[in-house]
Amino acid sequence: MRNTIIAGNWKMNTNRSSSIALADAIVDGLRAEHLGDNLDIVLCPPFVFIPLVGERIRGGRIRLGAQTMNNEPSGAFTGEVSGEMLRSVDCAYVIVGHSERRTMFAESDLDVCYRVNAAQEVGLSPIICVGETIVEREKGLMREVVERQVRTALDGILEFAARTCAIAYEPIWAIGTGENATPEQIEEAHGFIREIIGQIYTPEVAEDIPILYGGSMNAGNAASILARPGVDGGLIGGASLDAASFVSIVRAAASR
Ligand code: PGA
């Protein structure tokens, strides 16, 4: 049975003291919650605050993730961070191929595949982001774009490694806009992604891989999105910066 994952992507937000305060408030907010065994709660702070946040969540249910990584293990790559480094500060997850990485930092589908490969090699679970632009959706290209992104990201990735991955369907037009995709659109895209994974591997493998939704998910819409078949959690940007909102989303995931 696949896990549910609620991951907070803090992006380039917080500072030393506010990252600690946010982590503490989330830990506090979740203390009394009955979370069950199949729910993974992940915080993805900016690189520099990962160890600090790690200290605050130590011993609890929350796990650490990073927002990206380089696929090279080490070397002359100024400004980059490797998977091995992330493991050494207790990250369990890494977001790969976020649309902001793809559009602002020119990460190609193939770069995403290299990162997926490097992440699983060091024992990090990649959360692979895919999703179409508004223009692509309006032209009826959602399936074509998402299929290309999923197939390329998993190209050459063996079945056992694929089982460590999660996919996040994040339509770009819904990210940070306050306009979430409708539960129907989300259910359709997730079903389609699961179909593709089933074709690459087997339907059984596809059943075991969590598919998350991301794009303006918040305390108000989380329950209705998470209630849809095939939606196995969320990748939360803006709402993850507010402890009460993030805790509500976790609660919605735990109680479905
Ligand atoms: P958002 O971001 O929740 O602020 O829309 C989601 C994401 O980019 O992962």
Side-chain angles (χ1 to χ4, degrees):
M1 199 32 211
R2 54 186 188 255
N3 269 6
T4 299
I5 302 171
I6 298 292
N9 174 11
W10 294 4
K11 307 192 180 183
M12 199 170 75
N13 294 298
T14 70
N15 57 31
R16 183 185 175 93
S17 58
S18 66
S19 65
I20 291 173
L22 180 53
D24 284 350
I26 292 169
V27 169
D28 260 6
L30 292 176
R31 212 180 294 283
E33 297 294 328
H34 179 69
L35 299 171
D37 290 335
N38 295 326
L39 175 62
D40 264 6
I41 304 155
V42 186
L43 299 183
C44 304
F47 286 136
V48 285
F49 303 132
I50 289 173
L52 283 179
V53 170
E55 281 168 26
R56 314 310 287 192
I57 64 173
R58 181 158 297 144
R61 274 294 298 269
I62 302 174
R63 311 184 76 188
L64 277 175
Q67 299 173 16
T68 184
M69 59 173 271
N70 194 281
N71 51 286
E72 296 292 341
S74 62
F77 301 99
T78 302
E80 292 296 278
V81 170
S82 74
E84 198 63 66
M85 294 172 187
L86 297 175
R87 284 296 292 155
S88 76
V89 291
D90 298 328
C91 284
Y93 285 90
V94 61
I95 300 168
V96 170
H98 190 280
S99 63
E100 286 150 20
R101 300 295 316 170
R102 293 176 187 261
T103 55
M104 292 185 242
F105 304 97
E107 283 183 17
S108 67
D109 290 337
L110 204 55
D111 290 326
V112 175
C113 178
Y114 295 149
R115 283 157 170 66
V116 171
N117 199 46
Q120 62 80 28
E121 269 186 1
V122 297
L124 288 164
S125 295
I127 299 174
I128 305 166
C129 300
V130 299
E132 79 287 358
T133 63
I134 190 64
V135 174
E136 288 162 342
R137 175 161 281 269
E138 282 168 356
K139 284 186 178 158
L141 296 174
M142 182 277 280
R143 287 179 175 239
E144 190 177 312
V145 170
V146 167
E147 177 163 7
R148 188 198 72 229
Q149 291 174 334
V150 171
R151 284 191 184 276
T152 314
L154 293 174
D155 190 26
I157 305 293
L158 299 177
E159 180 183 316
F160 79 91
R163 285 178 181 278
T164 70
C165 297
I167 309 285
Y169 171 61
E170 298 209 305
I172 293 170
W173 48 273
I175 296 178
T177 58
E179 187 203 344
N180 59 285
T182 65
E184 293 73 22
Q185 289 170 325
I186 297 169
E187 186 177 336
E188 186 212 343
H190 284 219
F192 177 64
I193 291 168
R194 209 173 297 286
E195 215 176 285
I196 301 296
I197 299 171
Q199 289 166 13
I200 301 172
Y201 303 100
T202 62
E204 292 71 34
V205 174
E207 280 304 310
D208 286 346
I209 294 183
I211 304 178
L212 321 182
Y213 169 73
S216 299
M217 197 161 164
N218 57 40
N221 60 26
S224 63
I225 292 172
L226 292 168
R228 287 285 163 159
V231 180
D232 307 311
L235 181 54
I236 327 294
S240 75
L241 295 170
D242 177 69
S245 300
F246 188 70
V247 167
S248 301
I249 296 169
V250 172
R251 192 178 300 130
S255 64
R256 72 199 178 117

